[in-house]
Amino acid sequence: MSSHPDPKDQGRALLAESTLDEARLLEVLEGGLARGADWGDLYYESAQSEVVAVDDGRVRTASRNARQGIGVRVVAGDKQGFAHTDALELPRLRAAADAARAIADGRGAGTADVGNGELARLRFPAGLPDRYPVDRSPLALPVDQKVGALARLDARCRALDPRVQQVMAQVSTSQQTVLVLRSDGSAAWDVRPLVRIDCTVIAKNEVGKLARGSARAGGRHDVERILDDATLESLATEAVRQALVNLGARKAPAGVFDVVLGPGWPAVLLHEAVGHGLEGDFCRKGTSAFSGRIGERVASELCTIVDDGSIPGDRGALNIDDEGTPAECTTLIENGRLVGYMQDRLNASLMGMKPTGNGRRESYAHITLPRMRNTYMRPGNDDPQDIIRGLKRGIYAVDFGGGQVDITSGKFVFEMTEAYLVEDGKIGAPLEGATLIGHGPSVLERVVAVGNDLEYLKAQGVCGKEGQSVPVGVGQPTLRVNGMTVGGSEV
């Protein structure tokens, strides 16, 4: 899997797996575009996934799932018709195409790129990148080896400190094969591996207080990479460390504070509070705080934010998106100015912009939406230690849990799962029960320092939108944001 075979040969091999030949699929696609629809596509998917979970040394889950099917989309103007089937039979596909056409209503501009029934062969692009450094399918590793690795992780966590009461660990692996056929005759394929390991520790002190710590690793690479001794040791150390820190936490103060956000996972705030608002559908419909603001200053000049699908091995990495568009690095905000949106084909065409490789879907049974891949802020020039030392009294936020965001207004609330009080430039007591409350675009405007320590968090991101979940990555350097509202329970 480390290099793609000839795209034409592999693409047609995938067609053979689906038991449908090229000519019949093109016939289905052309049938769906009858009566003047503008364009359409077929999306074939075959995917398998496996989850092995251990709780206190006992196997809690060992399951494998599979899915296979084709989604048919027909676009007429700004309307999309979509239908899908898991029966790879020509009558069922024709019925799906008819349903998609009926939903789209066949009243497009009549500029269909289908070729008026003359399409005979598909065009597969040459020279696509290979961003998944994988030698074999993640599903090839036997379950007993995964269970053994999780047992070693459990034992290592308990050996680190006697206060560890419970260890929960899980390995998730999957491989997804996709083939996209478009009505202009172009086609593309991809084989996407994904691995992840999670470790959660519950610790208990002498007075009965419980605290949680967690760590994770993963990406689009070999599963053995997350099950080697060095990775297991790192996960155990981090999960236990965070749990013990939180055992000693005091109640968080409430008020307005200057906040330093640590590198890596705190970028989930960037993802939720800002990233969704830069997706093309929200911006086109005028429901985003960033709608119609291309060229305007929307953030501190210290902020440059990109969405990058081209980082090898990253959880959000893609060779192509789910519309067959090659993935790229898309600059969204440059030196504080809004310069672009994340686009799929539909919204890009309606906005007079180009697709950016952000068209994504959870499976063949879901319609494409503009989605994030790996969204991060580029590093600045400040020393992270100097950023903390410059804080008179504030909050240092290292890790985040759940949160809520209103895409239209940009308002958010996030739970901090590891945070500290900073006084006179020194990191002090850990805090519990702390939340960050604010407005995404306003937060960007109040960034006053950006560290030189960009860190990607490749392991854990799962992004939800309109009932669909896709894997993503996030990243950022250390940031200082002045005047943020912190919720707490300190009396």
Side-chain angles (χ1 to χ4, degrees), residues 31-308:
L33 288 165
R35 298 206 308 257
D38 297 326
W39 53 274
D41 53 33
L42 297 179
Y43 179 83
Y44 164 73
E45 178 197 27
S46 176
Q48 289 187 312
S49 61
E50 185 176 84
V51 176
V52 178
V54 171
D55 190 343
D56 280 341
R58 297 184 298 274
V59 176
R60 175 168 51 87
T61 300
S63 64
R64 179 175 285 208
N65 295 292
R67 65 174 181 260
Q68 184 179 43
I70 292 182
V72 185
R73 176 171 59 159
V74 175
V75 178
D78 63 352
K79 295 181 66 175
Q80 297 185 87
F82 178 74
H84 62 87
T85 176
D86 61 0
L88 304 183
E89 302 166 355
L90 196 56
R92 295 287 292 273
L93 279 174
R94 285 173 174 160
D98 288 344
R101 183 182 61 209
I103 295 168
D105 205 25
R107 296 177 184 174
T111 58
D113 53 9
V114 68
N116 298 316
E118 298 179 357
L119 269 179
R121 300 292 286 176
L122 295 169
R123 301 188 306 275
F124 288 90
L128 283 176
D130 183 11
R131 298 185 173 121
Y132 319 137
V134 176
D135 292 324
R136 61 173 181 164
S137 167
L139 298 162
L141 189 70
V143 170
D144 60 350
Q145 292 187 37
K146 296 177 181 178
V147 172
L150 294 178
R152 296 197 304 275
L153 178 57
D154 180 291
R156 184 57 188 153
C157 289
R158 295 178 189 280
L160 287 172
D161 197 281
R163 289 170 288 182
V164 172
Q165 299 292 300
Q166 184 177 9
V167 179
M168 295 164 282
Q170 176 173 299
V171 173
S172 305
T173 54
S174 67
Q175 181 161 297
Q176 179 195 40
T177 300
V178 303
L179 177 65
V180 181
L181 285 67
R182 303 200 320 202
S183 59
D184 62 359
S186 62
W189 66 277
D190 206 5
V191 181
R192 302 167 180 164
L194 191 64
V195 300
R196 171 172 164 163
I197 183 170
D198 296 88
C199 178
T200 299
V201 166
I202 306 295
K204 182 178 180 180
N205 65 12
E206 61 277 2
V207 296
K209 179 181 178 180
L210 298 174
R212 178 186 298 260
S214 61
R216 71 291 299 175
R220 296 194 186 276
H221 49 69
D222 287 313
V223 66
E224 289 86 352
R225 180 172 164 182
I226 63 170
L227 299 180
D228 63 15
D229 289 340
T231 302
L232 297 179
E233 175 74 20
S234 175
L235 290 170
T237 301
E238 174 58 20
V240 172
R241 181 202 65 79
Q242 189 178 90
L244 299 183
V245 164
N246 287 329
L247 272 183
R250 50 170 274 193
K251 293 186 183 301
V256 177
F257 293 89
D258 295 343
V259 175
V260 173
L261 302 173
W265 183 241
V268 67
L269 189 151
L270 182 74
H271 170 103
E272 295 288 1
V274 178
H276 280 298
L278 294 171
E279 292 169 338
D281 50 352
F282 295 128
C283 294
R284 177 178 67 85
K285 296 172 184 176
T287 56
S288 166
F290 297 104
S291 295
R293 300 187 65 187
I294 293 289
E296 294 183 20
R297 180 170 172 174
V298 297
S300 161
E301 63 182 11
L302 299 174
C303 298
T304 295
I305 298 171
V306 303
D307 183 77
D308 193 352

Side-chain angles (χ1 to χ4, degrees), residues 426-471:
K426 296 181 180 180
I427 298 174
L431 304 174
E432 64 181 5
T435 57
L436 275 184
I437 304 166
H439 174 253
S442 298
V443 167
L444 290 183
E445 294 171 1
R446 295 199 297 273
V447 172
V448 297
V450 178
N452 57 15
D453 58 340
L454 171 63
E455 179 180 316
Y456 301 117
L457 209 299
K458 300 181 178 182
Q460 71 195 68
V462 177
C463 176
K465 179 178 177 180
E466 295 188 21
Q468 297 190 43
S469 295
V470 295

